[in-house]
Amino acid sequence: MTVIVERTTPASRAGAVVAVLLIAALIALPWTRDAGLMRVIVEFIALLTLAQMWNLLAGYAGLVSIGQQAYVGLGGYALMVLADDLGVNPFLAVPLAGLVATAFALPTAALVFRFSGGYFAVGTWAVAEVYRLLIANTGALGRGTGRTLKAVFPLARETRELATYALALALGVTTIVAIYLYLRSRLGLGLMAVRDSEPASQSLGVDVFRTKLAVYLIAAFGTGTTGALIYLNLLRISPDAAFSINWTAYTIFIVVIGGLGTLEGPIVGTVVFFLLRELLADYGSWYMILLGTLAVVAMMRYPQGLWGLVVDRWDLRFFPVQRLVRGVGNVSVRER
Amino acid sequence: MAWLDTIVQGILLGGLYALFATGLSLIFGVMRLVNLAHGDFSILAAFIAVVAVQVLDLNPLLALILVVPVMAVLGYGLQRLVLNRLLGRGILPAVLVTFGLSIVIQNGLLETFSADSRRLNPGGIETASLPLGGGLAVGWFPLLTFGVAVLLLVGLQLLIGRTALGRAFRAASDDGGTAALMGIDNGRLYGLAMALSLAIVAVAGIFLGIRTTFTFSSGPDRLLFAFEAVIIGGLGSLWGTLVGGVILGVAQTTGARLSPGWGVLAGHLVFLAVLLLRPAGLFSKPRRLDS
Amino acid sequence: MTLLGVHALSAFYGDFQALFGISLEVAEGETVAVIGANGAGKSTFLRALAGAVPVPPDAVVFDGRPVGGHPAHALVDLGIVLVPEGRKIFPSLSVEENLLVGAYRGRRGPWTLDRVYRLFPVLGERRTQPGTNLSGGEQQMLAIGRGLMANPRLLLVDEISLGLAPLVVQHLYRTLEAVKAEGTTLLVVEQDVSRVLAVAQRVYCFRKGSVSLHDVPARLTREQIAAAYFGA
């Protein structure tokens, strides 16, 4: 019997076409010289990437962290130090800052992995606070007032904005492609096994600890790189802003509303987030109250999120990571 | 001598931290729930006290009589209507829902009371001090706070150790399924545990509000300190929580003495050190650090 | 008079079906045995009766009232009490506290702390020790005593002989006689077939989640029991 393992869906094949068109449009955007729109897209990609990272941690690895803002801050400050103090090209410094964040993630993991569940969450937050306070007390990093990125001053504003935009596009596309490939790979299969059942996957030979550690480090890299991108865009960093719990609040909202444990979910969630922000711009804290309430309701009634509702209804998958087994004939496996 | 004073201050501060910590560890023990809005509830209580003081012209310490029952009822309702539905679904829903609650409470307080800092004024007692001889003086109010903390801990210890409800808490904490087979209504029990937790944290919040200024965003730090005190002291031990609070308090006051910005950080570092060297805490009963 | 009526009871753990349409009856004051191989569904059946596994409302009728789906704590109020498989003694509670928890609902009846200590003197000797410090046999006595403290009308007993020496099991079954003498209805799940046939008025055999045999012990041959146990 030939067992056919189906890995793509009609929707994904259609979606691939749409994605290519979308990316082409984004690449063409700078020709319109709409700097405002470009900045919004950079912000969008930044939040989307943060959400994808948090989704990877919580939705796939079962690691519920409320301390990812540590890596946003570390990435941002690493950018400042690399570009201004060490003379590295500021655009090259962005992924390098991600590496710096990952370096800090190792000792952090050594500490917080001693916890699990709810206490793990608080532990990650405690560590983020430690980083914030350490930086806020360091003179060379600007203490509480923070720093400004000077390395970009020689550049014309248009050049800087274009380069930032290009970097953001690269980050956005790379992240989605990388996560997609990872989840489709054997490693990704192992990860999803861990999410579904740690004991079962362990008994099948999946190294649970190393899998979780790997995901934690990857997420730190993605978050740190995004943090650097954010502050490349904003140019000004301070500890309270860079290590703010709001980064986590926004990403949690995005992922929960959009759909935890799916690749499409964070995209949907980020769109909703930006729409709500535009609509409620004048309402200050009511905006956050609404976000919080929506997240609570979603978690209680609709844990699969908006995208999950779509999947349940129409079985659409643009980023199929499942392996659907259809059996006919004799046992030889063919994947398509 | 000034160092001795710092240490005494730290010990007394530890009493307050122990109060914050006790509410947190109680519900974790009984139902494996970490309430991320724990600190925010204490600040909510403090703001309710602000209103009670303004509207009823009460001394804040008397306002306790009003605020504590209100918070207890709120805790019972919250548990039975919202949080009970999340148990048994893994930790993610509970963490996210309580996190969402934290955001909602903070922003709700911001909208209602603005960003101004507040303080509860009990009419002078907070500045009075008691001379202990040798040039050392201790504030009446920190002493009172510590005393109240110890009293509440003793009361809680008696409740848990000597009453049917306490036995039910311990049984449910050991094995919720078998507790139900004994006739224990877990839904109601969890509601009572949360009511108790919020009642204790309300006391902590009001004493905090008398001791220092607070704003809508003061909640999360209280959660962190409570968490650190629990971990330092060790899970599963009430008196360990007091010791944990004291160690944290002393670390903070000592750090602040060295340099004003270092107080809280010193506490964090001690916490991390305990985590590295004795992850089970200093006085824990044999039980794992997980949910 | 029928105290317990079970009608076409099916039970599931998620997608997995453990019981397939069990029907069974127990009269008040009777002792009925349930035997069967491992995995036959005996413990699941008792847990379903005790409210730990969801069942449809009409599947279980107690004293004339449908009680299927009632939460476990409400069933204790009615007098349905389970002595669970594996004893499930609470480690954070002392021997005496374990017994007191059994009386949580405060049902009235002949069983008090003193009476339980008279039935199981060793428990009285160890009353302040943590419940799990006891030996296997003593923990089983504690589990039974805890069940008695609820003053049950129907006592569900799940595999009390597991892992215990024959002499200890003999002692436990003698105490069950004392329980019977109070008029308590007993539904006993057991692996030790000969032991339980000696105390029961009727016996059901389960196999793969269904009833494979139902009769009076005196009329059963070993061949019949083996066939019902393992399948012909």
Side-chain angles (χ1 to χ4, degrees):
Chain A
M1 134 170 124
T2 306
V3 173
I4 300 175
V5 180
E6 274 191 3
R7 306 193 59 184
T8 61
T9 67
S12 77
R13 297 191 272 275
V17 174
V18 171
V20 169
L21 289 174
L22 186 63
I23 293 176
L26 286 172
I27 292 176
L29 185 67
W31 270 270
T32 67
R33 302 195 175 281
D34 189 341
L37 185 56
M38 281 165 62
R39 277 184 74 97
V40 169
I41 291 180
V42 171
E43 251 199 284
F44 184 95
I45 291 177
L47 271 180
L48 174 62
T49 311
L50 287 180
Q52 296 279 24
M53 293 299 122
W54 195 85
N55 186 29
L56 200 61
L57 274 177
Y60 287 98
L63 292 168
V64 184
S65 162
I66 52 173
Q68 290 310 94
Q69 64 272 21
Y71 303 113
V72 174
L74 286 171
Y77 272 93
L79 170 74
M80 299 286 160
V81 170
L82 285 168
D84 281 349
D85 300 341
L86 297 177
V88 178
N89 175 304
F91 301 101
L92 187 60
V94 167
L96 288 178
L99 286 175
V100 172
T102 313
F104 278 97
L106 266 171
T108 307
L111 283 171
V112 298
F113 274 33
R114 287 163 195 246
F115 298 117
S116 68
Y119 277 0
F120 171 80
V122 189
T124 57
W125 184 19
V127 172
E129 281 295 291
V130 172
Y131 285 131
R132 177 178 71 83
L133 285 171
L134 281 173
I135 288 183
N137 278 293
T138 307
L141 294 172
R143 279 194 210 278
T145 355
R147 280 172 68 144
T148 313
L149 186 64
K150 301 201 180 66
V152 291
F153 281 6
L155 292 169
R157 212 183 83 171
E158 270 188 14
T159 319
R160 175 178 62 78
E161 286 178 349
L162 184 61
T164 307
Y165 179 76
L167 202 55
L169 273 189
L171 177 67
V173 171
T174 310
T175 307
I176 294 183
V177 170
I179 293 180
Y180 179 53
L181 289 177
Y182 174 65
L183 290 175
R184 277 182 67 113
S185 74
R186 259 185 70 235
L187 294 171
L189 190 58
L191 179 64
M192 288 190 276
V194 167
R195 172 188 61 178
D196 289 341
S197 166
E198 268 185 53
S201 53
Q202 196 145 35
S203 70
L204 287 172
V206 177
D207 187 338
V208 171
F209 174 74
R210 274 177 67 178
T211 305
K212 286 184 166 184
L213 180 64
V215 175
Y216 188 77
L217 293 176
I218 291 172
F221 177 70
T223 308
T225 308
T226 308
L229 177 72
I230 290 170
Y231 287 101
L232 177 66
N233 200 26
L234 293 175
L235 296 176
R236 190 129 187 30
I237 194 171
S238 72
D240 284 349
F243 290 94
S244 163
I245 191 91
N246 280 340
W247 294 117
T248 289
Y250 298 155
T251 56
I252 287 181
F253 169 80
I254 286 172
V255 175
V256 169
I257 301 279
L260 187 67
T262 68
L263 267 173
E264 302 87 337
I267 299 176
V268 170
T270 312
V271 170
V272 171
F273 178 85
F274 270 82
L275 282 176
L276 280 179
R277 206 176 69 165
E278 288 307 300
L279 285 173
L280 300 172
D282 301 328
Y283 292 97
S285 19
W286 285 112
Y287 167 60
M288 288 302 280
I289 294 176
L290 180 66
L291 281 198
T293 314
L294 280 178
V296 169
V297 169
M299 210 56 231
M300 290 187 62
R301 293 303 238 44
Y302 310 105
Q304 70 276 52
L306 279 174
W307 185 251
L309 289 171
V310 167
V311 169
D312 285 348
R313 193 71 159 51
W314 292 298
D315 199 25
L316 278 175
R317 270 174 237 272
F318 290 119
F319 294 107
V321 293
Q322 84 280 18
R323 289 162 164 79
L324 201 56
V325 178
R326 297 194 195 287
V328 265
N330 54 3
V331 190
S332 66
V333 180
R334 208 175 75 221
E335 293 197 358
R336 75 149 189 234
Chain B
M1 187 41 68
W3 277 108
L4 190 57
D5 180 63
T6 303
I7 292 179
V8 170
Q9 301 284 9
I11 292 174
L12 297 181
L13 179 60
L16 182 60
Y17 286 162
L19 273 184
F20 278 104
T22 302
L24 194 68
S25 70
L26 175 67
I27 53 162
F28 183 74
V30 174
M31 44 199 172
R32 300 288 178 278
L33 176 76
V34 178
N35 179 7
L36 294 183
H38 183 73
D40 301 291
F41 279 116
S42 78
I43 300 300
L44 175 64
F47 272 104
I48 296 177
V50 164
V51 170
V53 163
Q54 276 173 2
V55 166
L56 300 172
D57 202 24
L58 279 176
N59 181 299
L61 288 171
L62 284 181
L64 276 172
I65 301 177
L66 177 66
V67 176
V68 169
V70 165
M71 293 298 291
V73 169
L74 180 64
Y76 188 80
L78 175 69
Q79 185 66 39
R80 294 217 70 169
L81 296 174
V82 177
L83 298 177
N84 269 348
R85 296 182 199 207
L86 304 173
L87 299 171
R89 276 173 58 181
I91 33 92
L92 186 65
V95 167
L96 296 188
V97 166
T98 54
F99 183 79
L101 277 176
S102 169
I103 301 285
V104 169
I105 293 175
Q106 284 182 58
N107 282 279
L109 287 175
L110 175 59
E111 273 301 311
T112 317
F113 295 100
S114 89
D116 293 341
S117 4
R118 306 292 181 125
R119 185 126 175 217
L120 291 165
N121 184 353
I125 187 179
E126 75 280 17
T127 48
S129 63
L130 175 71
L132 289 182
L136 184 66
V138 137
W140 261 114
F141 191 69
L143 202 57
L144 177 67
T145 309
F146 191 84
V148 167
V150 171
L151 218 63
L152 279 178
L153 282 177
V154 169
L156 198 59
Q157 187 84 315
L158 286 174
L159 176 74
I160 291 184
R162 303 280 183 90
T163 66
L165 181 63
R167 284 191 290 272
F169 279 149
R170 283 182 286 146
S173 148
D174 276 343
D175 183 346
T178 307
L181 291 172
M182 298 295 112
I184 294 171
D185 180 351
N186 283 332
R188 211 180 125 256
L189 192 76
Y190 297 157
L192 288 176
M194 185 57 86
L196 200 52
S197 172
L198 288 200
I200 297 174
V201 97
V203 174
I206 290 179
F207 274 84
L208 175 80
I210 294 175
R211 181 198 171 87
T212 180
T213 57
F214 59 96
T215 73
F216 70 97
S217 62
S218 301
D221 273 347
R222 308 308 131 207
L223 170 68
L224 268 183
F225 299 153
F227 172 67
E228 291 179 337
V230 168
I231 297 299
I232 293 174
L235 292 171
S237 166
L238 265 187
W239 295 109
T241 306
L242 178 62
V243 173
V246 165
I247 291 177
L248 183 66
V250 171
Q252 286 189 354
T253 51
T254 309
R257 189 107 220 250
L258 291 170
S259 164
W262 281 83
V264 168
L265 185 57
H268 288 331
L269 293 176
V270 168
F271 158 71
L272 288 178
V274 171
L275 188 57
L276 263 177
L277 301 171
R278 265 205 70 132
L282 299 174
F283 298 96
S284 63
K285 298 202 192 126
R287 181 174 267 168
R288 292 178 325 190
L289 259 176
D290 56 13
S291 319
Chain C
M1 180 224 72
T2 309
L3 183 63
L4 177 73
V6 178
H7 311 292
L9 171 66
S10 292
F12 298 81
Y13 288 115
D15 288 332
F16 171 73
Q17 183 160 10
L19 298 175
F20 298 81
I22 305 268
S23 290
L24 176 154
E25 255 182 28
V26 183
E28 181 132 41
E30 252 197 314
T31 298
V32 170
V34 174
I35 61 176
N38 274 335
K42 313 187 297 296
S43 280
T44 307
F45 177 63
L46 286 194
R47 283 167 51 80
L49 293 179
V53 175
V55 296
D58 288 331
V60 182
V61 177
F62 185 74
D63 204 10
R65 288 158 49 199
V67 294
H70 282 207
H73 60 88
L75 294 175
V76 176
D77 260 342
L78 296 176
I80 302 177
V81 178
L82 175 66
V83 177
E85 184 189 13
R87 292 126 220 177
K88 304 285 173 72
I89 301 300
F90 297 112
S92 298
L93 271 56
S94 68
V95 167
E96 180 149 311
E97 287 175 324
N98 266 280
L99 291 173
L100 289 173
V101 163
Y104 190 76
R105 286 327 277 201
R107 272 178 56 87
R108 297 205 186 290
W111 294 103
T112 63
L113 205 54
D114 280 333
R115 196 121 185 247
V116 170
Y117 284 142
R118 264 181 283 143
L119 188 64
F120 297 118
V122 67
L123 294 183
E125 288 159 32
R126 297 193 192 274
R127 63 194 337 155
T128 55
Q129 292 185 17
T132 41
N133 271 15
L134 273 49
S135 72
E138 291 162 354
Q139 283 194 35
Q140 190 63 73
M141 292 181 213
L142 179 55
I144 295 174
R146 190 176 62 179
L148 292 174
M149 289 291 289
N151 282 300
R153 277 183 78 185
L154 171 66
L155 187 64
L156 309 169
V157 182
D158 199 349
E159 308 243 27
I160 53 177
S161 71
L162 268 186
L164 298 181
L167 228 55
V168 176
V169 177
Q170 194 172 38
H171 177 50
L172 289 174
Y173 270 88
R174 258 193 253 119
T175 60
L176 281 189
E177 294 286 343
V179 176
K180 276 173 76 172
E182 285 293 338
T184 313
T185 312
L186 289 174
L187 186 54
V188 183
V189 159
E190 240 325 321
Q191 291 254 28
D192 188 339
V193 175
S194 43
R195 188 78 71 179
V196 77
L197 289 186
V199 299
Q201 274 110 5
R202 283 182 303 120
V203 60
Y204 290 83
C205 183
F206 280 18
R207 195 170 77 84
K208 295 196 189 166
S210 304
V211 175
S212 58
L213 181 67
H214 168 214
D215 214 332
V216 167
R219 285 212 288 266
L220 291 173
T221 68
R222 290 187 64 186
E223 291 75 20
Q224 277 174 310
I225 295 174
Y229 224 84
F230 301 109

